[in-house]
Amino acid sequence: MTFWVVLTVNSVTFGGLLFLLSAGFSLIFGLMRIPNLTHGSLFMLGAYVGATFLVGLISIKFNFWVAAIVATLVVAAFGALIERLLLRRLPGDQLAQVLVTLGISFMVADFCLMAWGGDPINVTTPDGLGGFMRFGTLTFSLYRLAVIAIAAVVAIGLWMLLDRTRLGAMIRAGVDDPDMARVVGIRVSQLFTIVFALGAGLAAFAGIVGGPILSVYPGLDQDMLPLALVVVILGGTGSLLGSFVGSIIVGFIYNFGQALLPELAYFVLFLPMLLVLIFRPQGLFGRQVP
Amino acid sequence: MNAALVRSLALVAAFVALVTLPYWVTGTYYINVSSQILFYAIFALGLNILVGYAGLVSLGHAGLFGIASYVVGYVLAEGFGHAPAILAALVIGLLSTAVFAALSLRATGIGFIMITLALGQIIWGLAYRWISLTGGDNGINLHGRPAPFGLDLSAPSEFYYATLVIFLVTVVAVTIFVRSPFGAALRGTRDQPRRMNALGYHVWAIRFWACLLSGLLTAISGILFVYYTQFISPQTTALTASAEVLLMVIAGGPATLLGPIVGAALVVIVKNVVSGYIERWNFLLGAIFVAIVILMPEGLVPGTARLWRSGWRALRRRQAVVIAGSTEPKP
């Protein structure tokens, strides 16, 4: 019993992290029509930058949450730079844009290896959340519950942003019909930068928040990127609800798969993706792209 | 002297240079690098059928490459001979390609990239985690190379010649394929899929067969690779490896015959030479990728050919002006 409950909590926690990662991926895909292959690297970069500020960089030492926010801002700025300086030069050429993001992902991965070395870095759990919570005979890690709460808050915040604000309406218009959005006076190219920075920041935030659970190590980017891909293929691109449901599904399959079929966990993970591709290629909540 | 003559002379010169290579290249190291270039060129030619002629960019080809290598390693480790190992690798390589194609041809364009990337990662994940089959991170070691027709391939130059024969056959086969009606139909599905459909071509089937051909060349190069290195590990199937071969195609020039070969030579040489000096190969790979996509999106071979042609034309124009006064060569 305990085993199953703990596994379920872990699955929801991991699903929450995946949501933070893939919401940005899905928005970028929906708006710019490119899979951002740097997304895993941005996740890893956020984790490394955050961990550096936690340990202390040139006598600057932050508390966990400040470090998380600083890492988010740094990586968001980096994302905006990538969009402005590189992707902007290749308008309309999606293939070239994908290849550029792939090239950058290798550069970031190698840069991280150069800067932080090959040993995994353990990120300490923030103060006050290191303990456990008891329900009868069951114990839960406080931090994992906190991650679920954070993911829920971010999900609600993103939903409010997209559904209730003017910027959100503009992004939705850009996702649905970029040409028509331009015609009515929305500067879609400016939205590209905003959404790219937002997605990069969310990925970095997920990286540092996931740090105490996953730790930070070289290759983390290539572990996370396929998961984001699976989530988005499952849920459908450009749909927040799709990323949410997709993340929870993948979180469950990943954790249960690793516990029950460790050798085939990776394979089992991709099964729902294949099923969706065969029976509903636009994803569970995606709309058919004309 | 016209352009066609220059072309055939260059081809003959390249052929002679390749055949006599072990005599004028000293040192086994360089012969081995040449063998690497040749089997990576086969791999790049295979990927180019999809990327260049079908317009379908695959980021999972290292997975197919790795499957062929793993099958050879596994069958040999089970105690079978080289012939069954190679045969099994070809058959399983083609079958996996068929599954790969059936799934990824649900989409084209960006969707195709994402699905092939995900499929490639599945294969990497299986190679890494399914330890009882693949040995996990330790990989599989091979012992010895085959000796067809009494020719022992353990020596570098013998292995080079065997690779060269397969390479030349591949080049001829790909040339015939590209010039065949089927090759033309494939280019048609790349440029105008809807029109091709309206003309009565089965676009999906054409793409499927192109995938299979690409998979066959990939499997062949995977077999050569595993016999060359005598070792196979999950690293061979990683995304980096898929990106490397894609870089060969894109850097050399997609949809050309020479492009992938030049690209393979470039990447293998840079990788071998550079890794002798610095360990930041991945950083350089990424930087080359970004630079080529932004600065020379058509690839090195078409780019150079354009410069060469415009130089040639300028020369002819000058002669024409001297001889006939006003005849302008057609652009």
Side-chain angles (χ1 to χ4, degrees), chain B:
Chain B
M1 201 160 80
N2 59 15
L5 189 61
V6 172
R7 211 184 155 89
S8 11
L9 278 179
L11 271 180
V12 171
F15 181 74
V16 171
L18 281 175
V19 170
T20 57
L21 187 122
Y23 296 97
W24 50 270
V25 166
T26 47
T28 49
Y29 174 75
Y30 292 101
I31 295 176
N32 279 335
V33 169
S34 313
S35 303
Q36 276 187 52
I37 292 176
L38 291 181
F39 63 70
Y40 273 115
I42 297 173
F43 191 8
L45 281 167
L47 181 62
N48 185 37
I49 290 174
L50 284 189
V51 174
Y53 296 109
L56 298 166
V57 177
S58 162
L59 268 177
H61 253 54
L64 297 174
F65 183 81
I67 285 179
S69 309
Y70 266 112
V71 170
V72 170
Y74 184 76
V75 173
L76 286 181
E78 290 290 301
F80 292 97
H82 290 292
I86 292 171
L87 199 67
L90 288 175
V91 169
I92 294 179
L94 273 179
L95 285 179
S96 342
T97 311
V99 175
F100 224 74
L103 290 170
S104 28
L105 284 176
R106 298 289 297 174
T108 53
I110 303 296
F112 189 85
I113 300 184
M114 282 174 64
I115 299 169
T116 51
L117 174 63
L119 289 173
Q121 290 299 111
I122 296 183
I123 294 169
W124 174 82
L126 283 178
Y128 191 58
R129 303 263 167 83
W130 199 349
I131 296 166
S132 54
L133 187 73
T134 64
D137 224 3
N138 295 326
I140 301 178
N141 278 301
L142 268 67
H143 303 287
R145 290 172 180 164
F149 314 116
L151 184 73
D152 187 12
L153 298 186
S154 347
S157 55
E158 268 76 7
F159 188 80
Y160 170 80
Y161 277 122
T163 314
L164 179 63
V165 169
I166 298 172
F167 169 75
L168 291 175
V169 170
T170 305
V171 171
V172 171
V174 172
T175 313
I176 293 171
F177 164 77
V178 167
R179 293 181 181 170
S180 70
F182 184 71
L186 183 63
R187 285 194 297 277
T189 63
R190 173 193 65 189
D191 298 330
Q192 294 288 351
R194 283 188 181 180
R195 264 182 226 178
M196 289 299 284
N197 199 13
L199 285 171
Y201 287 91
H202 197 317
V203 172
W204 191 90
I206 291 173
R207 287 179 173 152
F208 184 78
W209 287 110
C211 282
L212 279 192
L213 180 60
S214 173
L216 178 66
L217 295 184
T218 305
I220 291 172
S221 58
I223 295 167
L224 286 170
F225 166 83
V226 76
Y227 275 121
Y228 171 81
T229 55
Q230 301 278 304
F231 174 66
I232 168 80
S233 76
Q235 201 53 42
T236 315
T237 67
L239 176 60
T240 324
S242 287
E244 253 172 45
V245 63
L246 184 61
L247 177 65
M248 292 173 191
V249 175
I250 303 244
T256 60
L257 276 172
L258 196 55
I261 303 171
V262 172
L266 182 85
V267 170
V268 170
I269 290 172
V270 170
K271 193 176 172 180
N272 274 289
V273 171
V274 167
S275 54
Y277 296 98
I278 54 169
E279 33 180 328
R280 300 271 77 93
W281 160 243
N282 276 337
F283 193 86
L284 195 70
L285 175 75
I288 297 176
F289 228 115
V290 173
I292 283 190
V293 168
I294 288 187
L295 302 176
M296 214 182 205
E298 63 203 316
L300 294 175
V301 169
T304 322
R306 197 193 56 218
L307 292 178
W308 168 261
R309 262 201 308 275
S310 54
W312 187 253
R313 233 177 252 144
L315 196 73
R316 285 241 311 252
R317 201 171 293 140
R318 210 171 301 142
Q319 287 173 340
V321 169
V322 171
I323 296 165
S326 65
T327 42
E328 273 285 295
K330 277 181 196 158

Side-chain angles (χ1 to χ4, degrees), chain A residues 29 33 35 37 86 94-96 99-100 103 106-107 110 114 222 226 229 263 266-267 270 273-274 277-278 281, chain B residues 57 106 110 114-115 117-118 121-122 125-126 129-132 240 243 246 250 280 282-283 286-287 293-294:
Chain A
F29 194 104
R33 307 264 187 267
L37 299 184
L86 294 170
Q94 290 155 338
L95 174 59
L99 295 177
V100 165
F106 288 143
M107 292 166 77
D110 219 28
M114 196 167 15
Q222 291 209 17
L229 271 174
E263 288 207 319
Y266 219 74
F267 187 65
F270 286 89
M273 183 195 85
L274 298 183
L277 279 174
I278 292 164
Chain B
V57 177
R106 298 289 297 174
I110 303 296
M114 282 174 64
I115 299 169
L117 174 63
Q121 290 299 111
I122 296 183
L126 283 178
R129 303 263 167 83
W130 199 349
I131 296 166
S132 54
T240 324
L246 184 61
I250 303 244
R280 300 271 77 93
N282 276 337
F283 193 86
V293 168
I294 288 187

Side-chain angles (χ1 to χ4, degrees), chain A residues 86-94 97:
Chain A
L86 294 170
L87 299 183
R88 185 57 59 88
R89 285 167 177 271
L90 306 159
D93 191 349
Q94 290 155 338
Q97 292 182 338

